[in-house]
Amino acid sequence: MSTMTETVERPSRRMFLRAGAAATIGGLATAALGSTAGASTPTNVGAAQLQALLDAAGPTCTFPGGVVDLPPDTRLVVRRSVTILGNGTTLRVRGNAVPTRSLIDADGLPDGSRLEIRNLRIEGPSTAGWDPRTESNAAAISWQRYRTWNSTMVVRNVTTTGGYGSGVSRAGGGRLEVLDSDLGGWVDGAAFFESHGGSGSMLLQRTRLTAPTNSKFSSIGLYIHPHLDLVAEDVVGTAWNRWVVYVNGTPKSTGRHRLSRVTATDCALVQTGSGSTTVLDRCVEQGTARNGGTYLKGPVTATGCTWTGTGTIGVLSGQQAHRSFVDNTIRPSGTWMALGSGSAGSISVQGGRAELNGRATLLKLTPGATTQVTVDRTAVAARGTGIPINVEGGRVRVTGVPVPARSRALRPGVLES
């Protein structure tokens, strides 16, 4: 899947009309307009008034509250560092046309800028009836400018729904924080890219990544380039067609990715980076993994995780990475981990328990695998008719517990205890 294009927009030198009353809130100059009514209350505010607010703002800009109905392809341009106080406002884009422009567009902000958006809801166009192959590259909130490595973007208590390609799209590196939010989009809930050899880090906390009822065939919760660091805590991803967290891209430098208490429901948990170091702490993959399951590339340690439902953990061919599963709970509908032809490296399964019902399998190694697997003190309850450990290639050593009944090894595979 190709990454989204980073764009550079030079701020216009024209003078813009300024409107709205200047107020002082907490000692900061603020542009304010309209009432502070709840999000269910319609307003007579439109795109022009919102743009005037942004143009007149000092360090902060307060939106009016209530519901603001906007025509398709509305674009609100952010021209300077600012904190946007959404004030519970809902920006509702009419119709079901595929957006061609981002709604809140901060692409012109230069390096060193800071953008924060709080307490805002954005309802994008309806995706009902869209072909699953439809391209939608615009974002509900966008800041895409190359080499903005010294910049900060904060999104707090923000909801995005509907047919924008991304709920939040940040390209250029730097610092990205998404907190207490619920993000959805046709392609992804959030995207964090950097394509020019720079650096960046992301904090994702207490956030839901929720796919639209109808999303692109390859939709993802979070799409992040592999050399950008990530800490994700208390995150729920629901109904994406691929992964909740998708680590992918061409930069070769190593990133550090830590997922703590991330739950994937009816989608796969993660694709990890080839050169990245990944820690999974008390994560959950459950329900129907629509693309098959989690895909591990580089070194991964998974502690206290739960794997239930249809997902199968896949391992990339030719990788010499270490993968360790400590005290995991495993209740698969089919095969929990499949090691295909050319898969290499080492895998350790320590402690925890596996419950195998029906035709469920804990491990399957194909003839071309050379992976070395250790299963140590893992309680395996094999009540079904499947083959608990199926070794047709590589080597599996079981210690601390008996080899589960009906397990087998076919040459060149080796199963020992």
Side-chain angles (χ1 to χ4, degrees):
M1 181 176 182
S2 62
T3 60
M4 297 171 65
T5 303
E6 294 180 286
T7 60
V8 180
E9 176 184 298
R10 298 186 182 278
S12 171
R13 296 184 178 180
R14 294 180 55 195
M15 297 297 291
F16 296 94
L17 294 176
R18 295 175 178 263
T24 301
I25 298 177
L28 297 176
T30 306
L33 176 68
S35 69
T36 57
S40 62
T41 305
T43 72
N44 58 3
V45 174
Q49 290 92 337
L50 293 175
Q51 185 63 65
L53 274 179
L54 289 168
D55 291 343
T60 65
C61 176
T62 302
F63 277 10
V67 176
V68 179
D69 283 314
L70 299 170
D73 271 347
T74 294
R75 177 170 172 257
L76 303 173
V77 180
V78 178
R79 297 183 170 89
R80 62 184 67 86
S81 294
V82 68
T83 296
I84 297 174
L85 303 177
N87 193 28
T89 302
T90 294
L91 304 181
R92 187 167 60 192
V93 179
R94 297 193 294 267
N96 63 355
V98 179
T100 62
R101 303 197 298 179
S102 296
L103 179 58
I104 297 179
D105 184 344
D107 292 356
L109 292 182
D111 192 24
S113 299
R114 187 180 193 280
L115 173 64
E116 182 168 351
I117 300 176
R118 306 181 201 163
N119 306 323
L120 181 66
R121 180 181 179 89
I122 297 174
E123 297 179 0
S126 171
T127 63
W130 286 17
D131 187 297
R133 298 164 295 181
T134 298
E135 298 293 337
S136 177
N137 294 322
I141 300 171
S142 174
W143 184 2
Q144 301 186 55
R145 181 161 180 161
Y146 69 92
R147 298 179 180 176
T148 46
W149 305 324
N150 302 298
S151 303
T152 300
M153 181 176 181
V154 179
V155 175
R156 185 187 295 272
N157 193 24
V158 169
T159 297
T160 64
T161 68
Y164 282 100
S166 299
V168 172
S169 181
R170 174 73 176 104
R175 177 67 172 173
L176 174 61
E177 297 183 7
V178 177
L179 313 167
D180 305 306
S181 294
D182 190 341
L183 303 181
W186 175 251
V187 178
D188 48 56
F192 187 31
F193 300 146
E194 199 290 317
S195 298
H196 294 85
S199 61
S201 63
M202 180 177 183
L203 175 63
L204 179 67
Q205 276 186 334
R206 301 179 302 276
T207 289
R208 301 184 69 89
L209 300 170
T210 308
T213 302
N214 178 35
S215 64
K216 189 177 180 181
F217 74 95
S218 57
S219 64
I220 297 155
L222 167 66
Y223 190 166
I224 184 170
H225 275 171
H227 65 303
L228 302 174
D229 293 339
L230 169 68
V231 173
E233 299 174 333
D234 301 303
V235 174
V236 176
T238 305
W240 299 98
N241 289 322
R242 299 182 83 185
W243 298 275
V244 175
V245 176
Y246 179 52
V247 181
N248 189 56
T250 56
K252 300 298 184 183
S253 54
T254 299
R256 294 168 296 176
H257 305 134
R258 182 179 183 87
L259 280 62
S260 298
R261 301 174 301 280
V262 176
T263 297
T265 300
D266 291 333
C267 49
L269 177 65
V270 63
Q271 174 182 294
T272 64
S274 297
S276 303
T277 300
T278 303
V279 174
L280 307 177
D281 175 32
R282 290 165 287 169
C283 294
V284 176
E285 182 179 287
Q286 61 188 2
T288 302
R290 303 181 184 193
N291 67 326
T294 280
Y295 192 21
L296 302 182
K297 294 184 176 181
V300 177
T301 300
T303 303
C305 295
T306 299
W307 310 89
T308 67
T310 67
T312 294
I313 296 177
V315 178
L316 186 69
S317 296
Q319 293 294 309
Q320 296 291 336
H322 177 69
R323 304 162 189 94
S324 177
F325 298 85
V326 180
D327 294 332
N328 283 219
T329 298
I330 304 161
R331 293 193 299 271
S333 298
T335 299
W336 174 60
M337 185 180 297
L339 306 172
S341 179
S343 61
S346 64
I347 291 174
S348 173
V349 182
Q350 303 173 32
R353 58 199 303 264
E355 299 176 9
L356 307 177
N357 297 307
R359 298 185 61 81
T361 295
L362 180 64
L363 297 168
K364 181 177 181 180
L365 286 72
T366 64
T370 61
T371 314
Q372 305 293 304
V373 182
T374 300
V375 179
D376 179 35
R377 294 170 289 111
T378 300
V380 180
R383 304 185 184 94
T385 60
I387 302 172
I389 299 177
N390 188 0
V391 189
E392 299 177 7
R395 180 183 296 267
V396 176
R397 179 177 177 82
V398 179
T399 61
V401 294
V403 175
R406 297 188 309 281
S407 296
R408 73 177 188 183
L410 301 177
R411 293 181 179 177
V414 175
L415 174 59
E416 59 187 4
S417 61

